[in-house]
């Protein structure tokens, strides 16, 4: 079939870490990639007639410290609502599965039956046979010498076999990915890492076993180990200061002709891991090493691959940076082929979007992060995780230098943005935990600040685009499900996919006739821009789009005293009657030209102030000085998240994404099905509405012990899995934990009780009417209504 053909054409294998296959992945939808790959490999030999050497003895991730046990529990609650088979097992079961272990330190294990390993070469040959079976032509060798984009969006691919005219190209060229990208002006942030694994001769104790050992992953020892015939094979992930990058390939290119070659091995680099493996699996002490393999694995800065269409070039796609190799191949092939055929991703995989990187992703940054990420393969994966190598990039806001020593900084698409701020008595620094840690008190303080006084937040990481031109209204009316705001007004709008899924949420302001300011989240800047540019190109719209993200700084000022502070700095009337909610004005603030929009993602009285980045520090200092009498202070994104959830604000990438439609997400107010424009996804939404919803987003409250929902936890009812959370936090205003979660319609009624699993414990949760805390505009409106009726 064309789908199978396309899927197989974009799969590649170069060097694979012992061909490991596993259902496990901490990422929610990347589990789907792994699941599909394994199911494909199970049937491939029967379909193609080619043996693939697929062994499925299962795998066990070993926890030998209490925090590792917490990690396994954390991951288990994110698995129950997936089809992937996974179990938390005790030491007795671990020993039964792998009797050669030293059990002195084993506390628990995460067991995935069906896991194992596959021969990469045999798998490649089987996929090639399947591709030929369905009509593919394979040329080998066929180096690409150049790429030529054509005006109609097609490409000419130049090879020694001739020029191929194609509708699109998929860069799936492994450690040649950078060189292919450079042909069209891209600097893809990928770099080869030296990965070593060790193969032993026959081990008598292994040979005597009646069944194949499962793959084990010793998380503290940072290595994997599996049976190889009658011996053992194990591969470590070296520490950051010891592991080796092949950075010369980044600067000088891959040596001509390099293909099946390997690097020179270095046993000294991995001796720490070898010793830990010998302690955990004592039979290794007497085993003879017969081979040490060292080959290149291509890494991206965050370890995840770059999968999907790339912004900045029409019909150019990537499938590169696969640190996990073989287990991603089948699922990613299916994911991309479905997207290409249907015009939208089959499910949300934003964490692998190639457009999460940009010009800020320099070679030094890439090298630093790849070195860090390689060592992070087996580091504890905490919620709210921060990694600090390569930071800061050149993408810092105009107030970064003023704030960096006062705050715990988070990393958002290259930007440094405060998560929360310290005071003198606070425990400072990044303190990771699966439970409430040193951020908990300061975040509560900041929430009270915004609710009672006035706070300032750096929102510069927002993606910011200007769209103008003859067809600007026509374009945006086609792209967005909401009606376009009039000049001087703002609204929240959503771009939908053809199936009616939520591709993006954008704040739109018409700043002048036919000129629109579009604001999106930091992680979706180029993701959204690519979608818009694709529509411009395919529809022939006469518009100009400018990405002004790096040039414009943004400060949010929110709280009941926000108006009083800003009024001291401008002559423009900031009163409720003159500066209404969801309106925009150009003002002078402390002598600086500022575009002020009355909107606040905390739900409190507030404005967002847009200015040239070089003026940001002076405006910030003026605001702080003017607000001294009002008790002004800083707040960060953790507090903003708690406040937005209390107000019932949905978050893009959590409550809404390409896995959800806006009706089940409760976004009906923003969807104008009766507007004349035939916006993308309109027909699909009409069909969804006519058929009725099967699930709905619910607002839930619960009272756990020192742990709060984060999102993606399993929701239970009467012993059965019924849904999943999408985000969660502690509400400092109502003093309870909150979560958003998708439930079947019959379980989403107000007052319904369910259970949310956190770290292995199921806590009672109740569906409540939202919002728990009214937004400031609603409170003001109700107060006015009460006064007028009185």
């Amino acid at each position: 079939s064309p789908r199978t053909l396309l899927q197989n054409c974009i799969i590649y294998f170069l060097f694979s870490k012992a061909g490991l296959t596993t259902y496990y992945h901490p990422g929610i939808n990347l589990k789907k990639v792994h699941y599909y790959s394994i199911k494909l490999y199970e049937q491939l030999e029967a379909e193609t007639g080619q043996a693939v050497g697929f062994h499925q003895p299962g795998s066990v991730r070993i926890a030998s410290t209490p925090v590792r046990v917490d990690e396994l529990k954390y991951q288990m609650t994110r698995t129950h609502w997936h089809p992937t088979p996974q179990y938390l097992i005790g030491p007795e079961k671990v020993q039964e599965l792998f009797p050669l272990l030293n059990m002195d330190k084993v506390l628990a294990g995460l067991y995935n039956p069906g896991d194992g390993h596959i021969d990469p070469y045999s798998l490649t040959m089987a996929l090639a046979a399947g591709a030929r079976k369905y009509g593919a032509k394979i040329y080998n060798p066929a180096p690409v010498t150049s790429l030529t984009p054509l005006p109609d969006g097609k490409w000419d691919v130049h090879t020694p076999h001739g020029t191929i005219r194609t509708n699109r190209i998929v860069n799936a060229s492994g450690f040649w990915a950078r060189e292919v990208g450079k042909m069209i002006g891209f600097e893809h942030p990928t770099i080869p890492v030296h990965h070593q694994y060790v193969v032993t001769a026959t081990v008598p104790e292994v040979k005597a076993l009646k069944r194949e050992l499962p793959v084990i992953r010793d998380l503290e020892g940072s290595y994997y180990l599996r049976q190889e015939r009658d011996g053992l094979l194990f591969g470590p992930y070296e520490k950051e200061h010891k592991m080796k990058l092949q950075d010369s390939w980044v600067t000088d290119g891959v040596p001509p002709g390099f293909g099946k070659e390997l690097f020179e091995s270095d046993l000294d680099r991995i001796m720490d891991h070898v010793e830990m493996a010998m302690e955990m699996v004592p039979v290794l002490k007497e085993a003879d090493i017969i081979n040490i393999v060292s080959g290149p694995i291509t890494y991206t800065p965050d370890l995840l691959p770059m999968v999907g269409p790339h912004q900045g070039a029409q019909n150019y796609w990537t499938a590169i940076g696969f640190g996990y190799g073989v287990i991603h191949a089948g699922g990613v092939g299916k994911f991309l082929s479905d997207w290409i055929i249907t015009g939208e991703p089959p499910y949300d995989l934003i964490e692998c979007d190639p457009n999460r990187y940009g010009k800020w992703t320099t070679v030094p940054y890439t090298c630093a992060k790849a070195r860090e990420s390689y060592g992070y393969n087996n580091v504890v994966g905490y919620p709210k995780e921060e990694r600090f190598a390569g930071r800061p990039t050149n993408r810092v806001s105009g107030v970064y230098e003023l704030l960096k020593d006062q705050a715990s900084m988070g990393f958002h698409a290259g930007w440094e943005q405060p998560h929360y701020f310290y005071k003198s008595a606070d425990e400072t620094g990044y303190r990771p935990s699966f439970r409430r840690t040193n951020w908990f008190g300061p975040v509560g303080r900041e929430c009270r600040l915004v609710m009672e006084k006035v706070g300032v937040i750096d929102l510069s990481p927002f993606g910011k685009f200007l769209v103008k031109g003859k067809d600007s209204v026509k374009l945006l009316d086609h792209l967005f499900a909401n009606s376009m705001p009039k000049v001087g007004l703002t609204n929240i709008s959503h771009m939908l996919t053809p199936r009616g899924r939520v591709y993006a949420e954008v704040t739109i302001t018409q700043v002048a006739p036919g000129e629109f300011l579009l604001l999106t989240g930091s992680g979706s800047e180029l993701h959204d821009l690519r979608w818009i540019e694709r529509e411009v190109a395919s529809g022939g719209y006469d518009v100009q789009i400018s990405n002004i993200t790096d040039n414009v700084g943004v400060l949010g000022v929110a709280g009941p005293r926000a108006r009083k502070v800003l009024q001291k700095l401008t002559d423009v009337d900031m009163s409720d009657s003159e500066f209404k909610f969801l309106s925009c004005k150009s003002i002078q603030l402390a002598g600086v030209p500022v575009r002020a929009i009355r909107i606040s993602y905390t739900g409190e009285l507030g404005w967002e102030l847009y200015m040239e980045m070089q003026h940001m520090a002076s405006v910030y200092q003026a605001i702080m000085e003017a607000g001294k009498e009002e008790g002004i202070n800083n707040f960060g994104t953790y507090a903003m998240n708690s406040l937005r959830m209390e107000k019932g604000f949905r978050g893009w990438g959590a409550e809404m994404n390409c896995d959800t439609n806006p009706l089940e997400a409760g976004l009906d107010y923003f969807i104008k099905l009766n507007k004349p424009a035939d916006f993308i996804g309109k027909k699909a939404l009409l069909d969804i509405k006519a058929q009725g919803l099967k699930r709905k987003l619910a607002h839930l409250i619960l009272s756990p012990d020192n742990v709060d929902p984060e999102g993606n936890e399993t929701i239970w009812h009467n012993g059965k899995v019924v849904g999943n959370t999408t985000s969660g936090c502690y509400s400092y205003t109502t003093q309870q934990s909150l979560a958003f979660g998708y439930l079947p319609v019959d379980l989403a009624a107000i007052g319904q009780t369910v259970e949310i699993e956190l770290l292995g414990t199921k806590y009672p949760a109740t569906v409540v009417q939202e919002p728990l805390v009214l937004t400031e505009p609603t409170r003001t409106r109700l107060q006015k209504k009460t006064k007028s009726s009185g």
Side-chain angles (χ1 to χ4, degrees), residues 496-518:
L496 308 181
T497 71
R499 289 187 300 158
R501 306 300 180 95
V502 183
Y503 187 83
E505 181 179 76
V506 179
T507 302
I508 300 179
T509 303
Q510 189 167 185
V511 296
E515 181 176 347
F516 295 85
L517 173 65
L518 276 57

Side-chain angles (χ1 to χ4, degrees), residues 117-129:
H117 55 96
I118 196 166
D119 175 39
Y121 177 82
S122 299
L123 177 58
T124 303
M125 294 302 102
L127 289 168

Side-chain angles (χ1 to χ4, degrees), residues 337-606:
S337 60
D338 282 356
W339 190 344
I340 289 170
I341 290 169
T342 65
E344 63 178 287
Y347 48 85
D348 196 89
L349 210 57
I350 184 66
E351 64 266 44
C352 296
D353 187 357
N355 304 297
R356 68 189 185 273
Y357 298 120
K359 293 179 180 178
W360 53 270
T361 319
T362 62
V363 171
Y365 171 83
T366 299
C367 290
K369 296 304 286 187
R371 185 174 291 280
E372 176 189 57
S373 293
Y374 182 72
Y376 263 82
N377 272 285
N378 287 319
V379 169
V380 177
Y382 289 103
K384 295 181 170 64
E385 184 179 57
E386 286 296 321
R387 302 181 184 179
F388 296 98
R391 296 171 51 183
T393 70
N394 58 9
R395 212 175 203 196
V396 294
S397 79
V399 295
Y400 171 72
E401 291 296 329
L402 297 173
L403 303 181
K404 65 179 183 179
D405 295 329
Q406 306 177 47
S408 175
M409 288 287 180
F411 191 70
H412 303 270
W415 296 92
E416 299 289 328
Q417 188 177 27
H419 277 165
Y420 69 93
F421 287 82
Y422 311 129
K423 286 197 173 181
S424 57
D426 295 333
E427 180 187 13
T428 61
Y430 173 60
R431 300 288 184 271
S433 175
F434 291 100
R435 295 170 173 79
R436 297 168 188 164
T437 182
N438 61 327
W439 52 265
F440 187 76
V443 173
R445 182 173 62 222
E446 292 171 16
C447 287
R448 291 188 293 274
L449 170 76
V450 175
M451 293 294 293
E452 299 170 5
K453 297 178 182 178
V454 55
V456 179
I457 185 170
D458 181 7
L459 297 174
S460 299
F462 279 161
K464 318 168 196 79
F465 317 129
L466 279 178
V467 179
K468 59 183 178 180
K470 182 170 67 72
D471 294 335
S472 59
V473 175
K474 182 180 178 183
L475 167 70
L476 298 180
D477 241 349
H478 175 62
L479 278 170
F480 291 95
N482 205 344
S483 301
M484 288 304 100
K486 296 178 181 180
V487 176
L489 297 182
T490 297
N491 72 17
I492 307 296
S493 298
H494 298 85
M495 290 194 289
L496 308 181
T497 71
R499 289 187 300 158
R501 306 300 180 95
V502 183
Y503 187 83
E505 181 179 76
V506 179
T507 302
I508 300 179
T509 303
Q510 189 167 185
V511 296
E515 181 176 347
F516 295 85
L517 173 65
L518 276 57
L519 308 170
T520 188
S522 57
S524 51
E525 173 197 346
L526 300 182
H527 167 271
D528 294 2
L529 183 59
R530 184 207 63 82
W531 186 270
I532 296 169
E533 289 175 339
R534 184 203 63 177
E535 285 303 310
V536 171
S538 62
Y541 293 95
D542 183 2
V543 296
Q544 300 82 50
I545 304 173
S546 303
N547 184 356
I548 59 172
T549 301
D550 288 345
N551 302 322
V552 175
V554 188
L555 291 172
V557 183
R561 302 178 187 177
R563 176 182 287 115
K564 189 172 182 180
V565 172
L566 294 179
Q567 192 64 79
K568 296 177 183 180
L569 301 172
T570 182
D571 294 333
V572 173
D573 190 343
M574 305 293 285
S575 67
D576 195 56
S577 59
E578 294 300 315
F579 207 141
K580 296 182 178 180
F581 182 57
L582 293 179
S583 64
C584 172
K585 292 178 183 285
S586 293
I587 68 174
Q588 291 282 322
L589 197 68
V592 173
V594 170
R595 180 173 283 139
I597 301 176
R598 189 178 162 196
I599 189 172
S600 174
Y601 290 99
T602 66
E604 294 306 299
L605 173 66

